[in-house]
Amino acid sequence: MNRNILAKDVQDFLKANREKSPTEIALKKSPFPNVSAPELAAQIDGWQRSVRKLPTWAFSEGIYYPDKINLEQCSSEHTALVKQTLITKGSRVIDLTGGFSVDSCYLAQEASEVIHCELNAKLSEIVAYNAKILRVANLNCIVTDGIELLKDSEDQAFDYIYVDPSRRVNQGKVFLLEDCEPNIVTHQDLLFQKSRYVISKLAPLLDITTALNSLKHVRFVYVISLDNDCKELLFIQERGYEGECKIRAIRLFQDKLQDLIFTYDEERSIISRFLLPQAYLYDPDVAITKAGAFKTVGKRFGLGKIHQHAHLYTSNEWNPDFPGRTFKISAVIPYSQLKKNNPWPQANIATRNFPDKVDVIRKKFKIKDGGSIYLFFTTDINNQLIVVAGERKS
């Protein structure tokens, strides 16, 4: 951490140039003897990455930004706010894989103390400095291996253990839970020896059922999306819990939150209702589909499915509370009819349970992207290929 970057003249320069290209700044000569041009560029790049993801950091004076990879891997403030609701007021928390500390700082607003473990001494120093700027007084930053610190701690020393296992091992990406570091599967007994609750932030691509087979005492699984992009899976384990796991799909969009709570037993027991396209079309958010609530979402909102494998829904009455996009249907035509006459020279295209991909369809029918019309190429309950046209309601 180059503390010369914190000097007022350097901070004034960064603020005046923060909208410029970091590459452009890096190629110019630095106006400061103790701060290099690449260091200036890195700070500007950090600010630009934080504007939408970490607005509290971006608009606090004097924040020091770490390496790019640390900002890429950290949580957003939106998802950190969800984690904040998972702990009780005044609890003691340890973050085994601290990183840039976004989650730790939000947990600290509820906890009496948060221990932030980070092996990277430079990053730990940056986090400790920024915590003072953000007035997070109860964040205790320690340069250490979180698992080793746990081993040296008293039994039940913490109320919650938070861990974000690294998916980058030996400079390569891994996808199995057992291959991540730390390996929370093999360390489960240790984790429950030191805490009642374990909150694990896992990769969005992870198969939920596979993870449930590897982890013990899982009480909740949270599937969190932001603007229809699945960001995180959270597994909440409680020592000794043997009941049914509840799945909570959370959709964050336009500063709003929608959620759907269900169990896999409930999902399996539901018999879906199938309908031809009615007046409205519903396209569920990725949090719903990733969670696997394909039948549950239809039942909860009184909708029929267009096809068993399409995961599109329909109704005659509009339901504005549906967790996803909704459309007013203007036309439904057989796909074969489109080959003879295409009435939509411009449209937004999506495919669901359809043999051709979007780029193939665009090229075949010369449909430009954009406009107010949305075309869904899909399969109906009679296994016929169809095109559903509509305009967005929500």
Side-chain angles (χ1 to χ4, degrees):
M1 179 176 177
N2 183 359
R3 291 188 173 267
N4 292 301
I5 289 174
L6 304 175
K8 185 178 183 305
D9 55 345
V10 179
Q11 289 292 304
D12 289 343
F13 174 87
L14 292 173
K15 188 173 183 179
N17 292 276
R18 64 189 183 186
E19 303 283 355
K20 293 184 178 179
S21 165
T23 302
E24 178 186 333
I25 297 296
L27 294 174
K28 290 183 178 180
K29 182 180 179 181
S30 171
F32 309 105
N34 298 316
V35 181
S36 68
E39 286 178 316
L40 293 172
Q43 292 301 303
I44 290 172
D45 179 74
W47 182 86
Q48 291 177 1
R49 290 176 184 275
S50 299
V51 169
R52 292 190 65 186
K53 187 176 185 179
L54 308 170
T56 298
W57 275 254
F59 296 104
S60 295
E61 297 287 339
I63 290 293
Y64 194 108
Y65 295 98
D67 294 337
K68 178 171 64 175
I69 191 170
N70 301 129
L71 285 170
E72 289 174 344
Q73 293 178 343
C74 74
S75 298
S76 71
E77 287 193 58
H78 299 86
T79 59
L81 278 165
V82 174
K83 300 184 191 80
Q84 189 184 69
T85 67
L86 302 180
I87 68 170
T88 56
K89 193 86 173 172
S91 52
R92 192 162 188 256
V93 181
I94 181 169
D95 184 344
L96 299 184
T97 51
F100 191 46
S101 81
V102 177
D103 291 326
S104 290
C105 285
Y106 272 89
L107 292 172
Q109 294 179 21
E110 292 295 315
S112 61
E113 179 187 24
V114 175
I115 306 295
H116 176 277
C117 303
E118 175 54 53
L119 282 167
N120 184 328
K122 176 185 174 183
L123 181 57
S124 183
E125 182 185 7
I126 291 171
V127 168
Y129 162 77
N130 285 338
K132 292 180 181 178
I133 295 294
L134 297 170
R135 298 180 182 177
V136 184
N138 57 338
L139 186 67
N140 184 6
C141 297
I142 303 175
V143 181
T144 188
D145 181 309
I147 293 293
E148 294 305 314
L149 189 149
L150 269 189
K151 291 177 181 177
D152 294 333
S153 300
E154 295 180 358
D155 289 355
Q156 301 308 306
F158 304 97
D159 298 299
Y160 297 88
I161 292 173
Y162 177 74
V163 58
D164 178 6
S166 175
R167 273 83 72 183
R168 293 177 182 268
V169 179
N170 297 324
Q171 298 182 334
K173 282 191 175 182
V174 297
F175 299 97
L176 294 177
L177 189 56
E178 290 83 355
D179 293 334
C180 297
E181 292 184 355
N183 185 338
I184 61 173
V185 176
T186 59
H187 285 113
Q188 286 182 90
D189 290 341
L190 171 67
L191 301 179
F192 287 124
Q193 183 183 345
K194 305 300 180 178
S195 174
R196 180 178 177 182
Y197 297 100
V198 180
I199 303 173
S200 300
K201 171 188 168 183
L202 304 180
L205 292 176
L206 186 73
D207 181 74
I208 295 174
T209 302
T210 301
L212 286 173
N213 290 332
S214 299
L215 298 175
K216 300 183 292 186
H217 313 312
V218 180
R219 185 158 196 158
F220 289 99
V221 174
Y222 282 57
V223 183
I224 306 174
S225 75
L226 177 61
D227 296 330
N228 203 29
D229 182 10
C230 189
K231 292 294 186 182
E232 297 177 2
L233 301 181
L234 298 178
F235 282 66
I236 295 90
Q237 297 168 266
E238 181 181 354
R239 186 182 69 249
Y241 180 75
E242 298 295 345
E244 189 173 14
C245 173
K246 290 186 177 180
I247 314 296
R248 184 181 181 191
I250 296 180
R251 178 196 184 202
L252 304 175
F253 70 109
Q254 301 174 352
D255 294 326
K256 299 176 184 177
L257 183 152
Q258 288 179 314
D259 68 346
L260 179 72
I261 301 174
F262 69 105
T263 68
Y264 285 142
D265 280 350
E266 177 186 2
E267 171 71 14
R268 284 187 288 266
S269 70
I270 294 172
I271 298 175
S272 294
R273 184 166 58 113
F274 295 95
L275 295 171
L276 291 169
Q278 308 288 300
Y280 296 94
L281 185 75
Y282 302 84
D283 181 26
D285 185 83
V286 67
I288 301 297
T289 55
K290 175 63 183 181
F294 303 116
K295 294 188 287 186
T296 303
V297 73
K299 181 180 179 181
R300 295 277 180 91
F301 293 91
L303 311 175
K305 288 194 76 175
I306 284 179
H307 187 276
Q308 182 179 356
H309 304 299
H311 307 317
L312 289 172
Y313 305 80
T314 190
S315 69
N316 266 323
E317 300 294 328
W318 180 46
N319 192 326
D321 297 323
F322 181 80
R325 301 186 301 172
T326 65
F327 303 85
K328 179 71 172 73
I329 295 177
S330 56
V332 181
I333 66 171
Y335 176 61
S336 57
Q337 184 177 322
L338 192 68
K339 296 177 182 178
K340 301 175 184 177
N341 178 32
N342 173 26
W344 301 291
Q346 183 179 34
N348 304 278
I349 297 176
T351 59
R352 300 289 189 272
N353 191 37
F354 196 82
D356 290 339
K357 295 183 178 180
V358 171
D359 56 345
V360 173
I361 293 170
R362 285 200 181 283
K363 186 176 181 180
K364 184 184 293 185
F365 298 105
K366 298 179 181 179
I367 302 174
K368 294 181 180 179
D369 189 23
S372 61
I373 298 297
Y374 288 77
L375 301 179
F376 284 85
F377 289 71
T378 187
T379 307
D380 68 14
I381 57 175
N382 299 316
N383 289 317
Q384 299 299 307
L385 298 180
I386 60 171
V387 183
V388 183
E391 294 195 21
R392 184 109 180 236
K393 285 280 291 183
S394 66

